[in-house]
Amino acid sequence: MSTKMYFDMDGVLADFDASACKILDRKDLNYRTEVMAGDALEAKKKRWLDIEQTPGFWENLQPIVGVESMLAAASKLSEIFVLSTAPSAKRFIKGDEYVQHIIDAKKAWIARYFGKFFAPEHVIIVRDSKEKIAKSGPDSLLIDDRAENISDWINAGGRGIVFKSPSQVIKDMSGEF
């Protein structure tokens, strides 16, 4: 198994959107807008601050239904890793201190829900998307819910699958091996 398969956490393993919508009392986060300005940008900034003010937010994310079968299938095909980016420190009042909390909470969350699939050294939480892209290469496959991340990964020489559901990824993985 020479290929390394990387799974993003938020939106692939953890249902970030559902948790954020619940605490923010919203139906949609609308965080994927390409260009934000004015009120939309201010609302996005406030959402991150609201998350920061919610005790246990990162620790209490719920796993996406069906992820275990996806990880079981992936682990038969490749060495698997979590590769997730923490939000920027500039989004939070506590800055780097809060980002370190997020990193620690994400690692603990993975251990709690998916420790049987990922050894601690296979859980990589980076602070910058450039660090994430640096893992890309011809023997690497990224599963991420954001098409722009997959595009950047492919442009850096890797292969990628845009996550829509665990069953879709299982089907798409078979075409990669």
Side-chain angles (χ1 to χ4, degrees):
M1 284 194 269
S2 62
T3 298
K4 292 183 178 179
M5 195 177 309
Y6 296 95
F7 290 87
D8 182 43
M9 182 177 152
D10 303 320
V12 175
L13 303 176
D15 196 343
F16 175 88
D17 288 0
S19 294
C21 285
K22 185 176 179 180
I23 66 154
L24 302 171
D25 196 28
R26 297 176 58 99
K27 291 182 181 174
D28 183 2
L29 293 180
N30 192 27
Y31 66 90
R32 293 189 178 144
T33 305
E34 299 235 340
V35 178
M36 295 181 117
D39 291 344
L41 182 59
E42 288 306 310
K44 180 180 177 180
K45 288 178 183 177
K46 184 178 181 326
R47 287 192 296 268
W48 283 112
L49 294 175
D50 288 342
I51 287 170
E52 180 180 13
Q53 299 302 313
T54 302
F57 176 82
W58 299 96
E59 295 84 348
N60 294 313
L61 295 171
Q62 293 301 302
I64 290 188
V65 175
V67 165
E68 284 212 16
S69 60
M70 177 182 73
L71 295 176
S75 64
K76 292 176 183 172
L77 298 172
S78 174
E79 188 174 15
I80 64 173
F81 298 80
V82 173
L83 181 57
S84 184
T85 306
S88 170
K90 66 184 177 185
R91 293 181 173 166
F92 304 107
I93 293 168
K94 293 182 179 175
D96 283 330
E97 177 186 339
Y98 188 69
V99 171
Q100 187 58 54
H101 164 76
I102 293 169
I103 291 169
D104 295 342
K106 284 184 171 206
K107 288 179 178 181
W109 188 90
I110 292 293
R112 183 169 100 204
Y113 285 103
F114 302 114
K116 69 182 178 182
F117 294 106
F118 300 105
E121 63 272 14
H122 283 202
V123 179
I124 305 162
I125 314 295
V126 297
R127 289 177 175 256
D128 184 292
S129 61
K130 290 177 188 165
E131 290 178 74
K132 188 173 185 176
I133 296 303
K135 301 283 185 195
S136 182
D139 292 329
S140 65
L141 176 67
L142 176 66
I143 290 79
D144 197 303
D145 63 317
R146 299 185 68 174
E148 61 269 24
N149 290 345
I150 295 297
S151 179
D152 291 345
W153 187 268
I154 291 169
N155 288 338
R159 296 176 288 148
I161 296 173
V162 177
F163 177 90
K164 295 188 180 3
S165 72
S167 59
Q168 163 260 324
V169 169
I170 291 169
K171 180 181 172 192
D172 291 353
M173 277 189 303
S174 65
E176 292 289 332
F177 292 90

CSV table of all heavy atoms in Angstrom, one decimal, residues 113-161:
chain,number,residue,atom,x,y,z
A,113,TYR,N,-14.0,8.9,18.6
A,113,TYR,CA,-14.9,8.3,17.6
A,113,TYR,C,-14.2,7.3,16.6
A,113,TYR,O,-14.9,6.4,16.2
A,113,TYR,CB,-15.6,9.4,16.8
A,113,TYR,CG,-16.7,10.1,17.6
A,113,TYR,CD1,-16.5,11.4,18.1
A,113,TYR,CD2,-17.9,9.5,17.9
A,113,TYR,CE1,-17.5,12.0,18.9
A,113,TYR,CE2,-18.9,10.1,18.6
A,113,TYR,CZ,-18.7,11.4,19.1
A,113,TYR,OH,-19.6,12.0,19.9
A,114,PHE,N,-13.0,7.6,16.3
A,114,PHE,CA,-12.4,6.8,15.2
A,114,PHE,C,-11.0,6.3,15.5
A,114,PHE,O,-10.2,6.1,14.6
A,114,PHE,CB,-12.4,7.6,13.9
A,114,PHE,CG,-13.8,8.0,13.5
A,114,PHE,CD1,-14.1,9.4,13.4
A,114,PHE,CD2,-14.7,7.1,13.1
A,114,PHE,CE1,-15.4,9.8,13.1
A,114,PHE,CE2,-16.0,7.5,12.7
A,114,PHE,CZ,-16.4,8.8,12.7
A,115,GLY,N,-10.7,6.2,16.8
A,115,GLY,CA,-9.4,5.7,17.2
A,115,GLY,C,-9.0,4.4,16.7
A,115,GLY,O,-7.8,4.1,16.5
A,116,LYS,N,-10.0,3.5,16.4
A,116,LYS,CA,-9.7,2.2,15.8
A,116,LYS,C,-9.2,2.3,14.4
A,116,LYS,O,-8.6,1.3,13.9
A,116,LYS,CB,-10.9,1.3,15.9
A,116,LYS,CG,-12.1,1.6,15.1
A,116,LYS,CD,-13.2,0.6,15.4
A,116,LYS,CE,-14.4,0.9,14.5
A,116,LYS,NZ,-15.5,0.0,14.8
A,117,PHE,N,-9.4,3.4,13.7
A,117,PHE,CA,-9.0,3.6,12.3
A,117,PHE,C,-7.7,4.4,12.2
A,117,PHE,O,-6.9,4.2,11.3
A,117,PHE,CB,-10.1,4.3,11.5
A,117,PHE,CG,-11.3,3.4,11.3
A,117,PHE,CD1,-12.5,3.7,12.0
A,117,PHE,CD2,-11.3,2.3,10.5
A,117,PHE,CE1,-13.6,3.0,11.9
A,117,PHE,CE2,-12.5,1.6,10.3
A,117,PHE,CZ,-13.6,1.9,11.0
A,118,PHE,N,-7.5,5.4,13.1
A,118,PHE,CA,-6.4,6.3,13.0
A,118,PHE,C,-5.5,6.3,14.3
A,118,PHE,O,-6.0,6.6,15.4
A,118,PHE,CB,-6.9,7.7,12.9
A,118,PHE,CG,-7.8,8.0,11.6
A,118,PHE,CD1,-9.2,8.1,11.8
A,118,PHE,CD2,-7.2,8.0,10.4
A,118,PHE,CE1,-10.0,8.3,10.7
A,118,PHE,CE2,-8.0,8.2,9.3
A,118,PHE,CZ,-9.4,8.4,9.4
A,119,ALA,N,-4.3,5.9,14.1
A,119,ALA,CA,-3.3,6.0,15.1
A,119,ALA,C,-3.1,7.5,15.4
A,119,ALA,O,-3.2,8.3,14.5
A,119,ALA,CB,-2.0,5.3,14.7
A,120,PRO,N,-2.7,7.8,16.6
A,120,PRO,CA,-2.5,9.3,16.9
A,120,PRO,C,-1.5,9.9,15.9
A,120,PRO,O,-1.7,11.1,15.6
A,120,PRO,CB,-1.9,9.2,18.3
A,120,PRO,CG,-2.4,8.0,18.9
A,120,PRO,CD,-2.5,7.0,17.8
A,121,GLU,N,-0.5,9.2,15.5
A,121,GLU,CA,0.5,9.9,14.5
A,121,GLU,C,-0.1,10.0,13.1
A,121,GLU,O,0.5,10.7,12.3
A,121,GLU,CB,1.8,9.1,14.5
A,121,GLU,CG,1.7,7.7,14.0
A,121,GLU,CD,1.4,6.6,15.1
A,121,GLU,OE1,1.0,7.0,16.2
A,121,GLU,OE2,1.5,5.4,14.8
A,122,HIS,N,-1.3,9.4,12.9
A,122,HIS,CA,-2.0,9.6,11.6
A,122,HIS,C,-3.1,10.7,11.6
A,122,HIS,O,-3.8,10.8,10.7
A,122,HIS,CB,-2.6,8.3,11.2
A,122,HIS,CG,-1.6,7.3,10.6
A,122,HIS,ND1,-1.9,6.3,9.8
A,122,HIS,CD2,-0.2,7.2,10.8
A,122,HIS,CE1,-0.8,5.6,9.5
A,122,HIS,NE2,0.2,6.2,10.1
A,123,VAL,N,-3.1,11.4,12.7
A,123,VAL,CA,-4.0,12.5,12.9
A,123,VAL,C,-3.2,13.8,12.8
A,123,VAL,O,-2.5,14.2,13.7
A,123,VAL,CB,-4.8,12.5,14.2
A,123,VAL,CG1,-5.8,13.6,14.3
A,123,VAL,CG2,-5.6,11.1,14.3
A,124,ILE,N,-3.4,14.5,11.6
A,124,ILE,CA,-2.6,15.7,11.3
A,124,ILE,C,-3.5,16.9,11.3
A,124,ILE,O,-4.4,17.0,10.4
A,124,ILE,CB,-1.8,15.5,10.0
A,124,ILE,CG1,-1.0,14.2,10.0
A,124,ILE,CG2,-1.0,16.7,9.7
A,124,ILE,CD1,-0.6,13.7,8.6
A,125,ILE,N,-3.3,17.8,12.2
A,125,ILE,CA,-4.1,19.0,12.2
A,125,ILE,C,-3.1,20.2,12.0
A,125,ILE,O,-2.2,20.4,12.8
A,125,ILE,CB,-4.9,19.2,13.6
A,125,ILE,CG1,-5.6,18.0,14.0
A,125,ILE,CG2,-5.8,20.4,13.4
A,125,ILE,CD1,-6.7,17.5,13.2
A,126,VAL,N,-3.3,20.9,10.9
A,126,VAL,CA,-2.4,22.0,10.5
A,126,VAL,C,-3.1,23.3,10.7
A,126,VAL,O,-4.3,23.4,10.9
A,126,VAL,CB,-1.9,21.8,9.1
A,126,VAL,CG1,-1.1,20.5,8.9
A,126,VAL,CG2,-3.1,21.8,8.1
A,127,ARG,N,-2.2,24.4,10.8
A,127,ARG,CA,-2.7,25.7,11.0
A,127,ARG,C,-2.9,26.5,9.7
A,127,ARG,O,-3.4,27.6,9.8
A,127,ARG,CB,-1.8,26.5,11.9
A,127,ARG,CG,-1.8,26.0,13.4
A,127,ARG,CD,-0.8,26.7,14.2
A,127,ARG,NE,-0.9,26.3,15.6
A,127,ARG,CZ,-1.4,27.1,16.5
A,127,ARG,NH1,-1.9,28.2,16.2
A,127,ARG,NH2,-1.5,26.6,17.8
A,128,ASP,N,-2.5,26.0,8.6
A,128,ASP,CA,-2.5,26.7,7.4
A,128,ASP,C,-2.8,25.8,6.2
A,128,ASP,O,-2.2,24.7,6.2
A,128,ASP,CB,-1.2,27.4,7.2
A,128,ASP,CG,-1.1,28.3,6.0
A,128,ASP,OD1,-1.1,27.8,4.9
A,128,ASP,OD2,-1.0,29.5,6.2
A,129,SER,N,-3.6,26.2,5.3
A,129,SER,CA,-4.0,25.3,4.1
A,129,SER,C,-2.7,25.0,3.3
A,129,SER,O,-2.7,23.9,2.7
A,129,SER,CB,-5.0,25.9,3.3
A,129,SER,OG,-4.6,27.2,2.8
A,130,LYS,N,-1.7,25.8,3.3
A,130,LYS,CA,-0.5,25.5,2.6
A,130,LYS,C,0.2,24.3,3.2
A,130,LYS,O,0.8,23.5,2.5
A,130,LYS,CB,0.5,26.7,2.6
A,130,LYS,CG,0.0,27.9,1.7
A,130,LYS,CD,0.9,29.1,1.8
A,130,LYS,CE,0.2,30.2,1.1
A,130,LYS,NZ,0.8,31.5,1.5
A,131,GLU,N,0.1,24.1,4.5
A,131,GLU,CA,0.7,23.0,5.2
A,131,GLU,C,-0.1,21.7,4.7
A,131,GLU,O,0.5,20.6,4.6
A,131,GLU,CB,0.6,23.1,6.7
A,131,GLU,CG,1.5,24.1,7.3
A,131,GLU,CD,1.3,24.1,8.8
A,131,GLU,OE1,1.7,23.2,9.5
A,131,GLU,OE2,0.6,25.1,9.3
A,132,LYS,N,-1.4,21.9,4.5
A,132,LYS,CA,-2.2,20.7,4.1
A,132,LYS,C,-1.8,20.3,2.7
A,132,LYS,O,-1.6,19.2,2.4
A,132,LYS,CB,-3.7,21.1,4.2
A,132,LYS,CG,-4.6,20.0,3.9
A,132,LYS,CD,-6.1,20.5,4.2
A,132,LYS,CE,-7.1,19.4,4.0
A,132,LYS,NZ,-8.4,19.8,4.4
A,133,ILE,N,-1.7,21.3,1.8
A,133,ILE,CA,-1.4,21.0,0.4
A,133,ILE,C,0.0,20.4,0.2
A,133,ILE,O,0.3,19.7,-0.7
A,133,ILE,CB,-1.5,22.3,-0.4
A,133,ILE,CG1,-2.9,22.8,-0.4
A,133,ILE,CG2,-1.0,22.1,-1.9
A,133,ILE,CD1,-4.0,21.9,-1.0
A,134,ALA,N,0.9,20.7,1.2
A,134,ALA,CA,2.3,20.2,1.1
A,134,ALA,C,2.3,18.7,1.2
A,134,ALA,O,3.3,18.0,0.8
A,134,ALA,CB,3.2,20.8,2.2
A,135,LYS,N,1.2,18.1,1.7
A,135,LYS,CA,1.1,16.6,1.8
A,135,LYS,C,0.8,16.0,0.4
A,135,LYS,O,0.8,14.8,0.3
A,135,LYS,CB,0.1,16.2,2.8
A,135,LYS,CG,0.4,16.7,4.2
A,135,LYS,CD,1.5,15.9,4.8
A,135,LYS,CE,1.7,16.3,6.3
A,135,LYS,NZ,2.9,15.7,6.8
A,136,SER,N,0.4,16.8,-0.5
A,136,SER,CA,-0.1,16.3,-1.8
A,136,SER,C,1.0,15.7,-2.6
A,136,SER,O,2.2,16.1,-2.5
A,136,SER,CB,-0.8,17.4,-2.6
A,136,SER,OG,-1.3,16.9,-3.8
A,137,GLY,N,0.7,14.7,-3.5
A,137,GLY,CA,1.7,14.1,-4.4
A,137,GLY,C,1.0,13.0,-5.1
A,137,GLY,O,-0.1,12.7,-4.9
A,138,PRO,N,1.7,12.4,-6.1
A,138,PRO,CA,1.1,11.4,-7.0
A,138,PRO,C,0.6,10.2,-6.2
A,138,PRO,O,-0.3,9.5,-6.7
A,138,PRO,CB,2.2,11.0,-7.9
A,138,PRO,CG,3.4,11.6,-7.4
A,138,PRO,CD,3.1,12.7,-6.4
A,139,ASP,N,1.1,9.9,-5.0
A,139,ASP,CA,0.6,8.8,-4.3
A,139,ASP,C,-0.2,9.2,-3.1
A,139,ASP,O,-0.3,8.5,-2.0
A,139,ASP,CB,1.8,8.0,-3.7
A,139,ASP,CG,2.6,7.3,-4.9
A,139,ASP,OD1,1.9,6.9,-5.9
A,139,ASP,OD2,3.8,7.1,-4.8
A,140,SER,N,-1.0,10.3,-3.3
A,140,SER,CA,-1.8,10.8,-2.2
A,140,SER,C,-3.2,11.1,-2.7
A,140,SER,O,-3.4,11.6,-3.8
A,140,SER,CB,-1.2,12.1,-1.6
A,140,SER,OG,-1.2,13.1,-2.5
A,141,LEU,N,-4.2,10.7,-1.9
A,141,LEU,CA,-5.6,10.9,-2.3
A,141,LEU,C,-6.3,11.7,-1.1
A,141,LEU,O,-6.2,11.2,0.0
A,141,LEU,CB,-6.3,9.6,-2.5
A,141,LEU,CG,-7.8,9.6,-2.8
A,141,LEU,CD1,-8.1,10.3,-4.1
A,141,LEU,CD2,-8.4,8.2,-2.8
A,142,LEU,N,-6.9,12.8,-1.4
A,142,LEU,CA,-7.6,13.6,-0.4
A,142,LEU,C,-9.1,13.5,-0.6
A,142,LEU,O,-9.6,13.6,-1.7
A,142,LEU,CB,-7.2,15.1,-0.5
A,142,LEU,CG,-8.0,16.1,0.4
A,142,LEU,CD1,-7.6,15.8,1.9
A,142,LEU,CD2,-7.6,17.5,0.1
A,143,ILE,N,-9.8,13.2,0.5
A,143,ILE,CA,-11.3,13.3,0.5
A,143,ILE,C,-11.6,14.5,1.4
A,143,ILE,O,-11.3,14.6,2.5
A,143,ILE,CB,-11.9,12.0,1.2
A,143,ILE,CG1,-11.7,10.8,0.3
A,143,ILE,CG2,-13.4,12.1,1.4
A,143,ILE,CD1,-10.4,10.1,0.3
A,144,ASP,N,-12.3,15.4,0.7
A,144,ASP,CA,-12.6,16.7,1.3
A,144,ASP,C,-14.0,17.2,0.8
A,144,ASP,O,-14.3,16.9,-0.3
A,144,ASP,CB,-11.6,17.8,1.0
A,144,ASP,CG,-11.6,19.0,1.9
A,144,ASP,OD1,-12.6,19.6,2.0
A,144,ASP,OD2,-10.5,19.3,2.5
A,145,ASP,N,-14.8,17.8,1.7
A,145,ASP,CA,-16.1,18.3,1.2
A,145,ASP,C,-16.1,19.6,0.5
A,145,ASP,O,-17.1,20.0,-0.1
A,145,ASP,CB,-17.0,18.4,2.5
A,145,ASP,CG,-16.5,19.5,3.4
A,145,ASP,OD1,-15.3,19.5,3.7
A,145,ASP,OD2,-17.4,20.3,4.0
A,146,ARG,N,-14.9,20.2,0.4
A,146,ARG,CA,-14.8,21.5,-0.3
A,146,ARG,C,-14.1,21.3,-1.6
A,146,ARG,O,-12.9,21.0,-1.7
A,146,ARG,CB,-14.1,22.5,0.6
A,146,ARG,CG,-15.0,22.8,1.9
A,146,ARG,CD,-14.4,23.8,2.7
A,146,ARG,NE,-14.6,25.1,2.1
A,146,ARG,CZ,-14.3,26.2,2.6
A,146,ARG,NH1,-13.8,26.3,3.8
A,146,ARG,NH2,-14.4,27.4,1.9
A,147,ALA,N,-14.8,21.6,-2.7
A,147,ALA,CA,-14.2,21.4,-4.1
A,147,ALA,C,-13.0,22.2,-4.3
A,147,ALA,O,-12.0,21.8,-4.9
A,147,ALA,CB,-15.3,21.8,-5.1
A,148,GLU,N,-12.9,23.4,-3.7
A,148,GLU,CA,-11.7,24.2,-3.9
A,148,GLU,C,-10.5,23.6,-3.2
A,148,GLU,O,-9.4,23.7,-3.7
A,148,GLU,CB,-11.9,25.7,-3.4
A,148,GLU,CG,-12.2,25.8,-1.9
A,148,GLU,CD,-13.7,25.8,-1.6
A,148,GLU,OE1,-14.5,25.3,-2.3
A,148,GLU,OE2,-14.1,26.3,-0.5
A,149,ASN,N,-10.7,22.9,-2.1
A,149,ASN,CA,-9.5,22.2,-1.5
A,149,ASN,C,-9.1,21.0,-2.4
A,149,ASN,O,-7.9,20.8,-2.5
A,149,ASN,CB,-9.9,21.7,-0.1
A,149,ASN,CG,-10.1,22.8,0.9
A,149,ASN,OD1,-9.7,23.9,0.7
A,149,ASN,ND2,-10.7,22.5,2.0
A,150,ILE,N,-10.0,20.3,-3.0
A,150,ILE,CA,-9.7,19.2,-3.9
A,150,ILE,C,-8.9,19.8,-5.1
A,150,ILE,O,-7.9,19.2,-5.6
A,150,ILE,CB,-10.9,18.4,-4.3
A,150,ILE,CG1,-11.5,17.7,-3.1
A,150,ILE,CG2,-10.6,17.4,-5.4
A,150,ILE,CD1,-10.6,16.7,-2.4
A,151,SER,N,-9.4,20.9,-5.7
A,151,SER,CA,-8.7,21.5,-6.8
A,151,SER,C,-7.3,21.9,-6.5
A,151,SER,O,-6.4,21.6,-7.3
A,151,SER,CB,-9.5,22.8,-7.2
A,151,SER,OG,-8.9,23.4,-8.3
A,152,ASP,N,-7.1,22.5,-5.3
A,152,ASP,CA,-5.7,22.9,-4.9
A,152,ASP,C,-4.9,21.7,-4.7
A,152,ASP,O,-3.7,21.7,-5.1
A,152,ASP,CB,-5.8,23.7,-3.6
A,152,ASP,CG,-6.4,25.1,-3.7
A,152,ASP,OD1,-6.5,25.5,-4.8
A,152,ASP,OD2,-6.7,25.6,-2.7
A,153,TRP,N,-5.4,20.6,-4.2
A,153,TRP,CA,-4.7,19.3,-4.0
A,153,TRP,C,-4.3,18.7,-5.3
A,153,TRP,O,-3.1,18.3,-5.5
A,153,TRP,CB,-5.6,18.4,-3.2
A,153,TRP,CG,-5.0,17.1,-2.7
A,153,TRP,CD1,-5.0,15.9,-3.4
A,153,TRP,CD2,-4.3,16.9,-1.5
A,153,TRP,NE1,-4.3,15.0,-2.7
A,153,TRP,CE2,-3.9,15.5,-1.5
A,153,TRP,CE3,-4.0,17.7,-0.4
A,153,TRP,CZ2,-3.2,15.0,-0.4
A,153,TRP,CZ3,-3.3,17.1,0.6
A,153,TRP,CH2,-2.9,15.8,0.6
A,154,ILE,N,-5.2,18.7,-6.2
A,154,ILE,CA,-4.9,18.1,-7.6
A,154,ILE,C,-3.8,19.0,-8.3
A,154,ILE,O,-2.9,18.5,-8.9
A,154,ILE,CB,-6.2,18.0,-8.4
A,154,ILE,CG1,-7.1,16.9,-7.8
A,154,ILE,CG2,-5.9,17.7,-9.9
A,154,ILE,CD1,-8.5,16.8,-8.4
A,155,ASN,N,-4.0,20.3,-8.2
A,155,ASN,CA,-3.0,21.2,-8.8
A,155,ASN,C,-1.6,21.0,-8.2
A,155,ASN,O,-0.6,21.3,-8.8
A,155,ASN,CB,-3.4,22.7,-8.6
A,155,ASN,CG,-4.6,23.0,-9.5
A,155,ASN,OD1,-4.8,22.3,-10.5
A,155,ASN,ND2,-5.3,24.0,-9.2
A,156,ALA,N,-1.5,20.5,-7.0
A,156,ALA,CA,-0.2,20.3,-6.3
A,156,ALA,C,0.3,18.9,-6.6
A,156,ALA,O,1.3,18.4,-6.1
A,156,ALA,CB,-0.3,20.5,-4.8
A,157,GLY,N,-0.5,18.1,-7.4
A,157,GLY,CA,0.0,16.8,-7.9
A,157,GLY,C,-0.7,15.6,-7.3
A,157,GLY,O,-0.3,14.5,-7.6
A,158,GLY,N,-1.7,15.8,-6.4
A,158,GLY,CA,-2.3,14.7,-5.8
A,158,GLY,C,-3.6,14.3,-6.6
A,158,GLY,O,-4.0,14.9,-7.6
A,159,ARG,N,-4.3,13.4,-6.0
A,159,ARG,CA,-5.7,13.0,-6.5
A,159,ARG,C,-6.7,13.3,-5.4
A,159,ARG,O,-6.3,13.4,-4.3
A,159,ARG,CB,-5.7,11.5,-6.8
A,159,ARG,CG,-4.7,11.1,-7.9
A,159,ARG,CD,-4.7,9.6,-8.1
A,159,ARG,NE,-4.0,8.9,-7.0
A,159,ARG,CZ,-4.3,7.7,-6.6
A,159,ARG,NH1,-5.2,7.0,-7.1
A,159,ARG,NH2,-3.6,7.2,-5.6
A,160,GLY,N,-7.9,13.5,-5.8
A,160,GLY,CA,-8.9,13.9,-4.8
A,160,GLY,C,-10.3,13.5,-5.2
A,160,GLY,O,-10.7,13.2,-6.3
A,161,ILE,N,-11.1,13.4,-4.1
A,161,ILE,CA,-12.5,13.1,-4.2
A,161,ILE,C,-13.3,14.1,-3.4
A,161,ILE,O,-13.0,14.3,-2.2
A,161,ILE,CB,-12.8,11.6,-3.7
A,161,ILE,CG1,-12.1,10.6,-4.5
A,161,ILE,CG2,-14.3,11.4,-3.6
A,161,ILE,CD1,-12.2,9.2,-3.9
